[in-house]
Amino acid sequence: MVNTVNQISVFCENRPGQLAKLTAYLSESEVNMRAFSVAETRDFGVVRMIVDDPYKAARALKDADYVVSVTPVLAIEIPDEPGGLLKVLNVLAGEGVNIAYTYAFLSKKKESAYVIFRVDDNESVADILYRNDLHVIDQDSLMNL
């Protein structure tokens, strides 16, 4: 079984204060965000998040009437140095892997950064990464960052 993390995606109105309102629900539910990204359109945005407890987050947001989905994505630990991301991207490009989207975050572990990848086939891409000595982390490891 492939190591993945669960990403929470939420539709959010593109108006002042809406992102604060959404994060307030998470705060009240004691959910800690590790990373997030907002892809916007004129009227709505898609907020993508990596959180310490995706099921608690999804429940809290659904209870607040948000449209929520949970998607397994790959999280890769890379060296936090110039060119750290380049190695991963070169490996994926060399294997013909299309990346739908990506975003990154840091943790208290100063020598590492983490990159989230949404790809078509998590299992085959994880295998490519493993064969190239790249570290894919799982949900439990993410919670301990």
Side-chain angles (χ1 to χ4, degrees):
M1 182 168 187
V2 64
N3 288 339
T4 59
V5 297
N6 290 315
Q7 171 188 265
I8 304 294
S9 299
V10 182
F11 287 100
C12 184
E13 285 185 273
N14 192 357
R15 292 184 316 141
Q18 294 304 302
L19 189 56
K21 183 177 171 184
L22 183 147
T23 58
Y25 287 116
L26 295 175
S27 177
E28 290 165 7
S29 298
E30 298 183 351
V31 172
N32 189 15
M33 287 192 296
R34 301 284 193 223
F36 78 98
S37 170
V38 179
E40 46 73 38
T41 65
R42 182 170 177 87
D43 296 321
F44 284 90
V46 177
V47 180
R48 294 182 175 110
M49 301 175 263
I50 302 299
V51 299
D52 63 344
D53 189 334
Y55 298 104
K56 187 191 286 186
R59 176 64 15 223
L61 294 170
K62 285 180 181 180
D63 287 349
D65 294 325
Y66 285 95
V67 176
V68 178
S69 66
V70 178
T71 306
V73 294
L74 295 175
I76 295 100
E77 181 178 8
I78 62 170
D80 186 16
E81 63 188 25
L85 177 60
L86 180 60
K87 179 181 178 186
V88 176
L89 295 176
N90 281 338
V91 165
L92 295 178
E95 294 284 339
V97 173
N98 184 52
I99 300 167
Y101 57 82
T102 185
Y103 53 100
F105 65 99
L106 298 173
S107 75
K108 295 174 187 168
K109 194 174 172 184
K110 293 184 180 180
E111 66 276 1
S112 296
Y114 300 86
V115 183
I116 303 299
F117 287 98
R118 176 71 171 113
V119 295
D120 289 334
D121 184 348
N122 286 333
E123 192 165 331
S124 66
V125 174
D127 184 55
I128 291 166
L129 295 167
Y130 290 130
R131 284 187 280 122
N132 285 276
D133 296 320
L134 295 164
H135 187 219
V136 179
I137 62 172
D138 61 13
Q139 190 72 41
D140 290 337
S141 299
L142 177 80
M143 291 176 131
N144 295 319
L145 292 178

PDB file of all heavy atoms in Angstrom, residues 48-75:
ATOM      1  N   ARG A  48      -7.236  24.114  -0.302  1.00  0.00           N
ATOM      2  CA  ARG A  48      -6.678  22.772  -0.104  1.00  0.00           C
ATOM      3  C   ARG A  48      -5.806  22.813   1.132  1.00  0.00           C
ATOM      4  O   ARG A  48      -4.974  23.702   1.269  1.00  0.00           O
ATOM      5  CB  ARG A  48      -5.877  22.356  -1.323  1.00  0.00           C
ATOM      6  CG  ARG A  48      -6.737  22.191  -2.555  1.00  0.00           C
ATOM      7  CD  ARG A  48      -5.915  21.731  -3.742  1.00  0.00           C
ATOM      8  NE  ARG A  48      -6.762  21.473  -4.867  1.00  0.00           N
ATOM      9  CZ  ARG A  48      -6.791  22.227  -5.971  1.00  0.00           C
ATOM     10  NH1 ARG A  48      -5.981  23.264  -6.085  1.00  0.00           N
ATOM     11  NH2 ARG A  48      -7.611  21.925  -6.957  1.00  0.00           N
ATOM     12  N   MET A  49      -5.989  21.833   2.021  1.00  0.00           N
ATOM     13  CA  MET A  49      -5.284  21.853   3.305  1.00  0.00           C
ATOM     14  C   MET A  49      -4.738  20.484   3.661  1.00  0.00           C
ATOM     15  O   MET A  49      -5.368  19.467   3.379  1.00  0.00           O
ATOM     16  CB  MET A  49      -6.241  22.227   4.434  1.00  0.00           C
ATOM     17  CG  MET A  49      -6.914  23.534   4.338  1.00  0.00           C
ATOM     18  SD  MET A  49      -8.085  23.690   5.694  1.00  0.00           S
ATOM     19  CE  MET A  49      -9.579  23.199   4.846  1.00  0.00           C
ATOM     20  N   ILE A  50      -3.610  20.524   4.313  1.00  0.00           N
ATOM     21  CA  ILE A  50      -3.072  19.360   4.996  1.00  0.00           C
ATOM     22  C   ILE A  50      -3.195  19.696   6.478  1.00  0.00           C
ATOM     23  O   ILE A  50      -2.728  20.742   6.924  1.00  0.00           O
ATOM     24  CB  ILE A  50      -1.598  19.107   4.611  1.00  0.00           C
ATOM     25  CG1 ILE A  50      -1.469  18.928   3.090  1.00  0.00           C
ATOM     26  CG2 ILE A  50      -1.041  17.928   5.386  1.00  0.00           C
ATOM     27  CD1 ILE A  50      -2.234  17.751   2.512  1.00  0.00           C
ATOM     28  N   VAL A  51      -3.868  18.829   7.213  1.00  0.00           N
ATOM     29  CA  VAL A  51      -4.151  19.091   8.628  1.00  0.00           C
ATOM     30  C   VAL A  51      -3.713  17.889   9.467  1.00  0.00           C
ATOM     31  O   VAL A  51      -3.493  16.792   8.943  1.00  0.00           O
ATOM     32  CB  VAL A  51      -5.647  19.385   8.864  1.00  0.00           C
ATOM     33  CG1 VAL A  51      -6.094  20.631   8.099  1.00  0.00           C
ATOM     34  CG2 VAL A  51      -6.506  18.193   8.472  1.00  0.00           C
ATOM     35  N   ASP A  52      -3.626  18.103  10.769  1.00  0.00           N
ATOM     36  CA  ASP A  52      -3.204  17.017  11.652  1.00  0.00           C
ATOM     37  C   ASP A  52      -4.269  15.934  11.802  1.00  0.00           C
ATOM     38  O   ASP A  52      -3.945  14.776  12.036  1.00  0.00           O
ATOM     39  CB  ASP A  52      -2.757  17.550  13.011  1.00  0.00           C
ATOM     40  CG  ASP A  52      -3.861  18.242  13.781  1.00  0.00           C
ATOM     41  OD1 ASP A  52      -4.911  18.595  13.192  1.00  0.00           O
ATOM     42  OD2 ASP A  52      -3.675  18.463  14.994  1.00  0.00           O
ATOM     43  N   ASP A  53      -5.532  16.279  11.650  1.00  0.00           N
ATOM     44  CA  ASP A  53      -6.613  15.295  11.772  1.00  0.00           C
ATOM     45  C   ASP A  53      -7.643  15.552  10.669  1.00  0.00           C
ATOM     46  O   ASP A  53      -8.605  16.301  10.854  1.00  0.00           O
ATOM     47  CB  ASP A  53      -7.256  15.397  13.154  1.00  0.00           C
ATOM     48  CG  ASP A  53      -8.224  14.259  13.430  1.00  0.00           C
ATOM     49  OD1 ASP A  53      -8.781  13.678  12.476  1.00  0.00           O
ATOM     50  OD2 ASP A  53      -8.426  13.956  14.617  1.00  0.00           O
ATOM     51  N   PRO A  54      -7.446  14.946   9.493  1.00  0.00           N
ATOM     52  CA  PRO A  54      -8.324  15.238   8.356  1.00  0.00           C
ATOM     53  C   PRO A  54      -9.788  14.857   8.585  1.00  0.00           C
ATOM     54  O   PRO A  54     -10.688  15.519   8.084  1.00  0.00           O
ATOM     55  CB  PRO A  54      -7.719  14.450   7.204  1.00  0.00           C
ATOM     56  CG  PRO A  54      -6.755  13.511   7.798  1.00  0.00           C
ATOM     57  CD  PRO A  54      -6.369  14.026   9.136  1.00  0.00           C
ATOM     58  N   TYR A  55     -10.037  13.804   9.353  1.00  0.00           N
ATOM     59  CA  TYR A  55     -11.429  13.387   9.559  1.00  0.00           C
ATOM     60  C   TYR A  55     -12.168  14.352  10.475  1.00  0.00           C
ATOM     61  O   TYR A  55     -13.322  14.684  10.230  1.00  0.00           O
ATOM     62  CB  TYR A  55     -11.462  11.939  10.054  1.00  0.00           C
ATOM     63  CG  TYR A  55     -10.849  11.033   9.006  1.00  0.00           C
ATOM     64  CD1 TYR A  55      -9.578  10.520   9.162  1.00  0.00           C
ATOM     65  CD2 TYR A  55     -11.529  10.776   7.811  1.00  0.00           C
ATOM     66  CE1 TYR A  55      -8.994   9.743   8.171  1.00  0.00           C
ATOM     67  CE2 TYR A  55     -10.954  10.003   6.819  1.00  0.00           C
ATOM     68  CZ  TYR A  55      -9.690   9.491   7.001  1.00  0.00           C
ATOM     69  OH  TYR A  55      -9.117   8.741   6.009  1.00  0.00           O
ATOM     70  N   LYS A  56     -11.484  14.821  11.502  1.00  0.00           N
ATOM     71  CA  LYS A  56     -12.081  15.818  12.385  1.00  0.00           C
ATOM     72  C   LYS A  56     -12.320  17.123  11.608  1.00  0.00           C
ATOM     73  O   LYS A  56     -13.365  17.758  11.762  1.00  0.00           O
ATOM     74  CB  LYS A  56     -11.168  16.099  13.581  1.00  0.00           C
ATOM     75  CG  LYS A  56     -11.822  17.016  14.625  1.00  0.00           C
ATOM     76  CD  LYS A  56     -10.837  17.513  15.671  1.00  0.00           C
ATOM     77  CE  LYS A  56     -10.438  16.476  16.657  1.00  0.00           C
ATOM     78  NZ  LYS A  56      -9.595  17.044  17.749  1.00  0.00           N
ATOM     79  N   ALA A  57     -11.378  17.493  10.754  1.00  0.00           N
ATOM     80  CA  ALA A  57     -11.521  18.709   9.943  1.00  0.00           C
ATOM     81  C   ALA A  57     -12.704  18.588   8.985  1.00  0.00           C
ATOM     82  O   ALA A  57     -13.525  19.506   8.874  1.00  0.00           O
ATOM     83  CB  ALA A  57     -10.235  18.989   9.164  1.00  0.00           C
ATOM     84  N   ALA A  58     -12.783  17.469   8.284  1.00  0.00           N
ATOM     85  CA  ALA A  58     -13.879  17.270   7.331  1.00  0.00           C
ATOM     86  C   ALA A  58     -15.230  17.311   8.042  1.00  0.00           C
ATOM     87  O   ALA A  58     -16.175  17.947   7.565  1.00  0.00           O
ATOM     88  CB  ALA A  58     -13.704  15.951   6.593  1.00  0.00           C
ATOM     89  N   ARG A  59     -15.335  16.673   9.188  1.00  0.00           N
ATOM     90  CA  ARG A  59     -16.592  16.661   9.940  1.00  0.00           C
ATOM     91  C   ARG A  59     -16.978  18.068  10.375  1.00  0.00           C
ATOM     92  O   ARG A  59     -18.124  18.489  10.229  1.00  0.00           O
ATOM     93  CB  ARG A  59     -16.451  15.727  11.162  1.00  0.00           C
ATOM     94  CG  ARG A  59     -17.617  15.669  12.095  1.00  0.00           C
ATOM     95  CD  ARG A  59     -18.946  15.107  11.578  1.00  0.00           C
ATOM     96  NE  ARG A  59     -18.926  14.376  10.356  1.00  0.00           N
ATOM     97  CZ  ARG A  59     -19.826  14.494   9.363  1.00  0.00           C
ATOM     98  NH1 ARG A  59     -20.861  15.278   9.479  1.00  0.00           N
ATOM     99  NH2 ARG A  59     -19.731  13.803   8.261  1.00  0.00           N
ATOM    100  N   ALA A  60     -16.007  18.822  10.923  1.00  0.00           N
ATOM    101  CA  ALA A  60     -16.287  20.182  11.393  1.00  0.00           C
ATOM    102  C   ALA A  60     -16.752  21.070  10.243  1.00  0.00           C
ATOM    103  O   ALA A  60     -17.709  21.846  10.392  1.00  0.00           O
ATOM    104  CB  ALA A  60     -15.052  20.793  12.049  1.00  0.00           C
ATOM    105  N   LEU A  61     -16.117  20.959   9.114  1.00  0.00           N
ATOM    106  CA  LEU A  61     -16.476  21.812   7.978  1.00  0.00           C
ATOM    107  C   LEU A  61     -17.798  21.387   7.341  1.00  0.00           C
ATOM    108  O   LEU A  61     -18.597  22.230   6.937  1.00  0.00           O
ATOM    109  CB  LEU A  61     -15.340  21.836   6.955  1.00  0.00           C
ATOM    110  CG  LEU A  61     -14.066  22.510   7.475  1.00  0.00           C
ATOM    111  CD1 LEU A  61     -12.908  22.294   6.513  1.00  0.00           C
ATOM    112  CD2 LEU A  61     -14.296  24.002   7.717  1.00  0.00           C
ATOM    113  N   LYS A  62     -18.047  20.082   7.267  1.00  0.00           N
ATOM    114  CA  LYS A  62     -19.344  19.623   6.759  1.00  0.00           C
ATOM    115  C   LYS A  62     -20.471  20.070   7.684  1.00  0.00           C
ATOM    116  O   LYS A  62     -21.537  20.482   7.215  1.00  0.00           O
ATOM    117  CB  LYS A  62     -19.356  18.107   6.599  1.00  0.00           C
ATOM    118  CG  LYS A  62     -18.583  17.637   5.392  1.00  0.00           C
ATOM    119  CD  LYS A  62     -18.611  16.125   5.261  1.00  0.00           C
ATOM    120  CE  LYS A  62     -17.803  15.690   4.064  1.00  0.00           C
ATOM    121  NZ  LYS A  62     -17.806  14.232   3.901  1.00  0.00           N
ATOM    122  N   ASP A  63     -20.237  20.007   8.992  1.00  0.00           N
ATOM    123  CA  ASP A  63     -21.242  20.465   9.959  1.00  0.00           C
ATOM    124  C   ASP A  63     -21.518  21.957   9.809  1.00  0.00           C
ATOM    125  O   ASP A  63     -22.607  22.424  10.158  1.00  0.00           O
ATOM    126  CB  ASP A  63     -20.796  20.173  11.392  1.00  0.00           C
ATOM    127  CG  ASP A  63     -20.876  18.692  11.739  1.00  0.00           C
ATOM    128  OD1 ASP A  63     -21.474  17.913  10.960  1.00  0.00           O
ATOM    129  OD2 ASP A  63     -20.315  18.315  12.791  1.00  0.00           O
ATOM    130  N   ALA A  64     -20.542  22.703   9.275  1.00  0.00           N
ATOM    131  CA  ALA A  64     -20.710  24.144   9.046  1.00  0.00           C
ATOM    132  C   ALA A  64     -21.212  24.421   7.625  1.00  0.00           C
ATOM    133  O   ALA A  64     -21.169  25.561   7.164  1.00  0.00           O
ATOM    134  CB  ALA A  64     -19.381  24.866   9.289  1.00  0.00           C
ATOM    135  N   ASP A  65     -21.668  23.382   6.935  1.00  0.00           N
ATOM    136  CA  ASP A  65     -22.276  23.475   5.603  1.00  0.00           C
ATOM    137  C   ASP A  65     -21.304  23.812   4.473  1.00  0.00           C
ATOM    138  O   ASP A  65     -21.714  24.376   3.449  1.00  0.00           O
ATOM    139  CB  ASP A  65     -23.454  24.472   5.600  1.00  0.00           C
ATOM    140  CG  ASP A  65     -24.600  23.970   6.453  1.00  0.00           C
ATOM    141  OD1 ASP A  65     -24.823  22.739   6.491  1.00  0.00           O
ATOM    142  OD2 ASP A  65     -25.264  24.803   7.098  1.00  0.00           O
ATOM    143  N   TYR A  66     -20.053  23.454   4.630  1.00  0.00           N
ATOM    144  CA  TYR A  66     -19.097  23.588   3.525  1.00  0.00           C
ATOM    145  C   TYR A  66     -19.137  22.323   2.675  1.00  0.00           C
ATOM    146  O   TYR A  66     -19.427  21.234   3.176  1.00  0.00           O
ATOM    147  CB  TYR A  66     -17.667  23.779   4.041  1.00  0.00           C
ATOM    148  CG  TYR A  66     -17.403  25.153   4.590  1.00  0.00           C
ATOM    149  CD1 TYR A  66     -17.532  25.404   5.952  1.00  0.00           C
ATOM    150  CD2 TYR A  66     -17.013  26.200   3.752  1.00  0.00           C
ATOM    151  CE1 TYR A  66     -17.280  26.666   6.470  1.00  0.00           C
ATOM    152  CE2 TYR A  66     -16.765  27.459   4.266  1.00  0.00           C
ATOM    153  CZ  TYR A  66     -16.903  27.685   5.631  1.00  0.00           C
ATOM    154  OH  TYR A  66     -16.661  28.926   6.138  1.00  0.00           O
ATOM    155  N   VAL A  67     -18.836  22.496   1.380  1.00  0.00           N
ATOM    156  CA  VAL A  67     -18.667  21.352   0.494  1.00  0.00           C
ATOM    157  C   VAL A  67     -17.211  20.917   0.644  1.00  0.00           C
ATOM    158  O   VAL A  67     -16.291  21.677   0.361  1.00  0.00           O
ATOM    159  CB  VAL A  67     -18.982  21.724  -0.976  1.00  0.00           C
ATOM    160  CG1 VAL A  67     -18.697  20.552  -1.893  1.00  0.00           C
ATOM    161  CG2 VAL A  67     -20.421  22.190  -1.102  1.00  0.00           C
ATOM    162  N   VAL A  68     -17.029  19.686   1.127  1.00  0.00           N
ATOM    163  CA  VAL A  68     -15.700  19.191   1.505  1.00  0.00           C
ATOM    164  C   VAL A  68     -15.417  17.881   0.776  1.00  0.00           C
ATOM    165  O   VAL A  68     -16.301  17.039   0.643  1.00  0.00           O
ATOM    166  CB  VAL A  68     -15.636  18.930   3.032  1.00  0.00           C
ATOM    167  CG1 VAL A  68     -14.280  18.369   3.440  1.00  0.00           C
ATOM    168  CG2 VAL A  68     -15.971  20.180   3.825  1.00  0.00           C
ATOM    169  N   SER A  69     -14.172  17.725   0.334  1.00  0.00           N
ATOM    170  CA  SER A  69     -13.741  16.420  -0.167  1.00  0.00           C
ATOM    171  C   SER A  69     -12.392  16.079   0.454  1.00  0.00           C
ATOM    172  O   SER A  69     -11.629  16.971   0.833  1.00  0.00           O
ATOM    173  CB  SER A  69     -13.660  16.404  -1.697  1.00  0.00           C
ATOM    174  OG  SER A  69     -12.649  17.267  -2.152  1.00  0.00           O
ATOM    175  N   VAL A  70     -12.146  14.787   0.583  1.00  0.00           N
ATOM    176  CA  VAL A  70     -10.883  14.293   1.111  1.00  0.00           C
ATOM    177  C   VAL A  70     -10.206  13.536  -0.026  1.00  0.00           C
ATOM    178  O   VAL A  70     -10.805  12.641  -0.625  1.00  0.00           O
ATOM    179  CB  VAL A  70     -11.101  13.367   2.323  1.00  0.00           C
ATOM    180  CG1 VAL A  70      -9.774  12.832   2.837  1.00  0.00           C
ATOM    181  CG2 VAL A  70     -11.857  14.093   3.430  1.00  0.00           C
ATOM    182  N   THR A  71      -8.961  13.921  -0.328  1.00  0.00           N
ATOM    183  CA  THR A  71      -8.230  13.351  -1.450  1.00  0.00           C
ATOM    184  C   THR A  71      -6.874  12.838  -0.981  1.00  0.00           C
ATOM    185  O   THR A  71      -6.126  13.586  -0.343  1.00  0.00           O
ATOM    186  CB  THR A  71      -7.990  14.437  -2.532  1.00  0.00           C
ATOM    187  OG1 THR A  71      -9.229  15.030  -2.882  1.00  0.00           O
ATOM    188  CG2 THR A  71      -7.328  13.860  -3.762  1.00  0.00           C
ATOM    189  N   PRO A  72      -6.530  11.594  -1.299  1.00  0.00           N
ATOM    190  CA  PRO A  72      -5.185  11.134  -0.976  1.00  0.00           C
ATOM    191  C   PRO A  72      -4.173  11.767  -1.931  1.00  0.00           C
ATOM    192  O   PRO A  72      -4.363  11.758  -3.151  1.00  0.00           O
ATOM    193  CB  PRO A  72      -5.259   9.614  -1.161  1.00  0.00           C
ATOM    194  CG  PRO A  72      -6.438   9.375  -2.027  1.00  0.00           C
ATOM    195  CD  PRO A  72      -7.356  10.544  -1.878  1.00  0.00           C
ATOM    196  N   VAL A  73      -3.138  12.359  -1.359  1.00  0.00           N
ATOM    197  CA  VAL A  73      -2.076  12.998  -2.139  1.00  0.00           C
ATOM    198  C   VAL A  73      -0.734  12.500  -1.619  1.00  0.00           C
ATOM    199  O   VAL A  73      -0.645  11.915  -0.539  1.00  0.00           O
ATOM    200  CB  VAL A  73      -2.140  14.545  -2.054  1.00  0.00           C
ATOM    201  CG1 VAL A  73      -3.408  15.078  -2.729  1.00  0.00           C
ATOM    202  CG2 VAL A  73      -2.066  15.023  -0.607  1.00  0.00           C
ATOM    203  N   LEU A  74       0.300  12.748  -2.407  1.00  0.00           N
ATOM    204  CA  LEU A  74       1.647  12.368  -1.991  1.00  0.00           C
ATOM    205  C   LEU A  74       2.313  13.537  -1.282  1.00  0.00           C
ATOM    206  O   LEU A  74       2.225  14.677  -1.733  1.00  0.00           O
ATOM    207  CB  LEU A  74       2.485  11.960  -3.195  1.00  0.00           C
ATOM    208  CG  LEU A  74       2.019  10.703  -3.928  1.00  0.00           C
ATOM    209  CD1 LEU A  74       2.860  10.485  -5.185  1.00  0.00           C
ATOM    210  CD2 LEU A  74       2.081   9.498  -3.012  1.00  0.00           C
ATOM    211  N   ALA A  75       2.989  13.245  -0.185  1.00  0.00           N
ATOM    212  CA  ALA A  75       3.787  14.232   0.537  1.00  0.00           C
ATOM    213  C   ALA A  75       5.227  13.734   0.521  1.00  0.00           C
ATOM    214  O   ALA A  75       5.498  12.613   0.962  1.00  0.00           O
ATOM    215  CB  ALA A  75       3.292  14.397   1.966  1.00  0.00           C
TER     216      ALA A  75
END
